[in-house]
DNA sequence: GTCTATAAACAGATAGAC
DNA sequence: GTCTATCTGTTTATAGAC
């Protein structure tokens, strides 16, 4: 259930300052990710996190001052990744190039945060735990995928791909499929669903 | 559980049976649908339902004996629809025909239960509130879409379409798109994403 | 750093008044 | 039928012992 990870009596590479809270914080975060993915944010209590970790609730509260802080920290890596993708995409000259970058970036991100992707794209608690930043970048990303002045068909396609991919990577029924294969198939799907804005269609 | 349903004084012939509980029950159900869609099942409390309805919690408990009963009743129409689609599809001779029926049936169902679709396909509370029936039919439906001995690509495509469509129809950003147009685009998408098992691809 | 103990608010649910 | 009042358990969160 809980493994001291690496720190046993030995150095495991460089020095590693033993990180007074770093380790415990990481353990809490990892546990929270798993529970958020399984039960949703609203369906996960501090008690559940503490119990699965084999510690008391107070021990968790020592690391984080609130449930919201845990959720924020859990989502932070994904937020940073999306922000980076948007930055890169927006620097490009034309819409089609932006779309391509946003598309592949989104797929890569979904694979990297496989457990969390479903929380990011669809958890009902998202508007509450991510007041502005995350909602903003989500909107930006979708705009990049849609391109300028998208018609209904395009907007729907983007919505389907966005939510569909986020849920698919975390789908327990697809847990046996490894990251590499999933990545390839999703990229292919993204091209089938979210087309370039050239209306040769 | 217990519904005298129409019992008030007597005559309930034509003119509005006054439906002693029917109306209130329906109002609770409608309210619950909206809140489940907005906040998720775990994120919706009896208090929220009662407050939005302008009544007390006890008034809600008079109509339903538990939150689970509310959730079950809310999901019932969708369960019945899916069951019907599966029945029809399974009666067909070959896999391709089954897939086609399952596909169009699923789209139709998503449009009909636009608010609830996202709850059905992705709410973390689903495994709890729908012990066997709903999970079973969901699995059946996905099997019909996948066809016999599906490869990874096919399974992923089905997962993306299933969750993607369920979330898209309920997406607030797509609320301005009317049912008819959404229906058409989704049907088109379903053919682009979930292909027949003939591997002419 | 982690614990016990506890506060305060809120959840689901029931009893009984009107 | 709907309400007030209440019960019980759980939730988030804090204080202070070790």
């Amino acid at each position: 259930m809980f493994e001291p990870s690496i720190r046993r009596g030995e150095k495991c590479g460089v020095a590693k300052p033993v990180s007074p809270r770093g380790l415990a914080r990481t353990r809490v975060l990892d546990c929270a990710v798993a529970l958020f993915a399984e039960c949703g944010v609203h369906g996960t209590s501090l008690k559940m996190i503490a119990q699965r970790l084999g510690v008391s609730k107070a021990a968790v509260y020592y690391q984080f001052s609130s449930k919201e802080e845990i959720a924020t920290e859990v989502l932070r890596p994904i937020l940073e990744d999306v922000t980076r993708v948007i930055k890169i995409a927006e620097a490009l000259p034309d819409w089609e190039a932006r779309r391509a970058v946003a598309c592949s970036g989104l797929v890569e991100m979904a694979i990297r945060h496989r457990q969390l992707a479903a929380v990011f794209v669809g958890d009902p608690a998202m508007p509450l735990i991510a007041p502005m930043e995350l909602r903003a970048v989500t909107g930006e990303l979708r705009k990049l995928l849609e391109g300028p002045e998208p018609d209904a068909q395009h907007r729907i396609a983007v919505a389907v791909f966005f939510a569909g991919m986020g849920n698919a990577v975390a789908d327990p029924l697809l847990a046996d499929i490894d990251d590499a294969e999933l990545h390839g198939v999703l990229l292919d799907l993204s091209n089938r669903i979210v087309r370039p804005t050239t209306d040769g269609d």
Side-chain angles (χ1 to χ4, degrees), chain A:
Chain A
M1 192 66 91
F2 40 95
E3 67 287 346
S5 249
I6 290 282
R7 186 87 35 279
R8 175 70 84 165
E10 302 324 295
K11 59 271 188 103
C12 55
V14 219
K16 218 63 177 300
V18 182
S19 173
R21 299 179 197 177
L23 184 61
R25 259 181 92 91
T26 303
R27 266 168 40 84
V28 171
L29 254 15
D30 287 346
C31 183
V33 166
L35 282 168
F36 286 172
E38 187 186 343
C39 314
V41 176
H42 278 141
T44 301
S45 70
L46 275 298
K47 188 185 182 181
M48 289 163 74
I49 294 174
Q51 271 182 348
R52 181 173 291 204
L53 245 26
V55 301
S56 68
K57 276 191 297 175
V60 176
Y61 268 106
Y62 174 76
Q63 305 289 347
F64 299 91
S65 60
S66 68
K67 182 182 177 179
E68 193 181 339
E69 193 195 339
I70 296 178
T72 302
E73 289 302 306
V74 158
L75 265 331
R76 171 175 302 208
I78 216 168
L79 170 63
E80 287 170 353
D81 278 2
V82 186
T83 306
R84 210 187 61 243
V85 169
I86 290 174
K87 280 262 168 64
I88 295 172
E90 283 181 340
L92 295 172
D94 65 288
W95 276 101
E96 196 160 334
R98 293 182 192 170
R99 185 201 66 82
V101 166
C103 227
S104 66
L106 183 56
V107 170
E108 200 177 327
M109 210 188 61
I111 298 292
R112 193 194 324 246
H113 308 282
R114 221 169 136 168
Q115 285 190 102
L116 228 47
V119 175
F120 176 63
V121 302
D123 196 291
M126 277 296 295
L128 305 175
I129 61 181
M132 45 191 91
E133 292 168 294
L134 249 185
R135 290 192 67 175
V137 295
T138 304
E140 284 300 313
L141 201 51
R142 286 179 64 164
K143 270 183 196 157
L144 285 168
L145 291 171
E146 287 172 352
E149 298 171 18
D151 57 4
Q153 182 180 350
H154 224 119
R155 291 166 58 209
I156 294 167
V158 167
V160 169
F161 177 66
F162 193 75
M165 189 188 53
N167 282 276
V169 296
D171 194 326
L173 275 61
L174 265 43
D176 61 298
I177 300 173
D178 65 72
D179 291 358
E181 183 164 21
L182 194 51
H183 188 279
V185 174
L186 285 177
L187 260 186
D188 175 55
L189 269 176
S190 77
N191 285 320
R192 288 230 299 275
I193 302 175
V194 184
R195 300 287 197 78
T197 41
T198 58
D199 49 63
D201 196 358

